Structures are given as C-alpha cells and as structure tokens.
Amino acid sequence: QQQVKQSPQSLIVQKGGISIINCAYENTAFDYFPWYQQFPGKGPALLIAIRPDVSEKKEGRFTISFNKSAKQFSLHIMDSQPGDSATYFCAAAAGSYQLTFGKGTKLSVIP
Amino acid sequence: KAGVTQTPRYLIKTRGQQVTLSCSPISGHRSVSWYQQTPGQGLQFLFEYFSETQRNKGNFPGRFSGRQFSNSRSEMNVSTLELGDSALYLCASSLRPVVNTEAFFGQGTRLTVV
C-alpha cells in the first residue's frame, strides 16, 4: 500500500499561532519523508525533509516530528505568518522510487 | 541558475485530441518525473525518466506516455484526450533518481480539455 494520508484538509490559524499538519503511512519501506509548500500558480517547493533515523528536524520556524512506530509524521509551523498561507503536501518514498503525496492541507493564516 | 521550465503554461484542447507537454530540467539534472495534480486526487505520479530510460511508471492508462532526450529534456504526450485529463501537469527534476536528491518542480502546464 503506497497511500499517505494527510490531515486536516484545511486549517485556519491566527498569526503567531502554531500550525500542525499530520500524515500517516502504511508502507514500512518508506525511508524519505519530505514536506512541500505550494503557492497558487506555482509548483511545489521542498520545505523540509526527514529520514527515519531521526525523530525530529527543525529548520527555522518549521519542524518535522517523526514517529516510526506509529508510522506518522507531522509538520509544525511556529509563529505562523500570513505569508505561510499556502497548500502543504507531505510525501514519502522508498529507496529511489517515486514520491507518494498526501492530498494536501490548505493553510490560511489570518492577521 | 535557471529552474525547471515547463511549456506551455496553459493549454486548451478538445476531447479526442492529443497534446505534448515539454519540460526542461535544471542544468546538470538527469532525472525528470511527471505528476498530475487535480483538486480531487492531489499529486499523482505519472512516470520518471533517468538518462533517457523510463525508471518508474504510475498507474495511468497507456494514453499517457513520455520520453527523455539526450539533453535530459523530457516530453509527455497524452493521446485521445478525455475531460478527466484536465489538470495541472508538473515536472520535477533532480540530479539523480528522485529521492536520492532533492526534486525541484516547475510551475506546471495547466491543461483544460473541453
């Protein structure tokens, strides 16, 4: 099973708040978990990625938390800003095989 | 450096026609992947090419085909277009086969089938 399940479908957060997006997977062969950010009219851009040998990775305001036993990973956006308003996709891949994407979360950060 | 370039940006075609989309990867990148993005299904993998060879193929009908040239540029073709083929088609390039290195996406080609 290649599916990656992402939730919530949409998210509204106040400026300065924490945005949390969750993903779950079934395929235990997955060993690469990136998050992509997509603005309207643009292609997805890699935000941050993690491999299963670490439980957390932080880059600026963006943090990935990874729980291998639960087969879940999540994206936390601290101090969310209106400029973070975009659609976020989690993805997973096994070895050098293609990325399997979640269906996306539309984040709106309101002032 | 220049990013991934996809042409054309927008296309309107009629049912039954065929269409060819083009993708020029980042200079030096040899791997190109294609994805279909729709509101209902999200991003779905079509196929991946590396050094002119198709490495992987997604679960799409044979009407969807692609190829890669010696300069790493890639084209995808959709024959006998159906209304359901309306989507944003995205191309991603990477140095090596997809997940060994970061994949960079183009802005996509918006295909509308009427």
Side-chain angles (χ1 to χ4, degrees):
Chain A
Q1 177 63 284
Q2 296 289 318
Q3 191 175 13
V4 176
K5 295 183 179 179
Q6 183 172 348
S7 63
Q9 195 170 2
S10 62
L11 182 61
I12 299 174
V13 173
Q14 291 273 358
K15 178 182 175 182
I18 303 174
S19 304
I20 301 175
I21 305 171
N22 300 298
C23 285
Y25 63 96
E26 293 291 330
N27 186 350
T28 55
F30 284 150
D31 60 0
Y32 176 69
F33 303 89
W35 284 88
Y36 282 83
Q37 179 189 57
Q38 186 177 29
F39 293 104
K42 302 288 188 182
L46 180 66
L47 197 59
I48 187 172
I50 198 169
R51 294 194 184 269
D53 52 345
V54 296
S55 60
E56 186 175 282
K57 183 175 181 180
K58 184 176 180 179
E59 289 185 4
R61 296 184 294 109
F62 301 91
T63 300
I64 297 180
S65 297
F66 182 78
N67 186 328
K68 188 174 181 178
S69 60
K71 291 184 286 185
Q72 295 175 347
F73 58 110
S74 60
L75 175 70
H76 291 64
I77 306 174
M78 312 299 288
D79 187 25
S80 298
Q81 300 296 314
D84 297 329
S85 297
T87 300
Y88 293 81
F89 293 93
C90 64
S96 62
Y97 289 94
Q98 70 274 10
L99 292 164
T100 298
F101 285 87
K103 293 204 172 180
T105 297
K106 185 174 182 180
L107 171 65
S108 300
V109 181
I110 55 177
Chain B
K1 59 183 176 184
V4 178
T5 303
Q6 291 189 245
T7 56
R9 290 290 313 278
Y10 303 93
L11 264 179
I12 299 176
K13 289 285 187 179
T14 305
R15 268 185 304 174
Q17 287 187 311
Q18 75 165 16
V19 68
T20 299
L21 312 181
S22 178
C23 172
S24 293
I26 292 171
S27 178
H29 285 195
R30 295 166 60 196
S31 175
V32 173
S33 299
W34 288 89
Y35 292 83
Q36 181 194 65
Q37 185 175 21
T38 59
Q41 297 300 316
L43 282 143
Q44 293 189 289
F45 172 75
L46 281 156
F47 25 67
E48 182 200 0
Y49 287 87
F50 179 71
S51 295
E52 301 179 67
T53 302
Q54 187 180 90
R55 289 189 68 250
N56 293 308
K57 189 177 191 307
N59 188 26
F60 278 81
R63 300 184 296 107
F64 291 81
S65 63
R67 58 178 175 169
Q68 186 180 35
F69 302 95
S70 58
N71 62 357
S72 295
R73 190 178 70 86
S74 178
E75 289 181 347
M76 68 163 280
N77 183 277
V78 188
S79 62
T80 319
L81 284 165
E82 301 177 359
L83 294 178
D85 297 333
S86 295
L88 180 67
Y89 289 89
L90 291 160
C91 161
S93 82
S94 58
L95 277 171
R96 295 183 296 277
V98 178
V99 295
N100 291 326
T101 57
E102 179 179 346
F104 294 83
F105 282 84
Q107 290 189 288
T109 294
R110 172 75 63 185
L111 172 64
T112 302
V113 182
V114 296

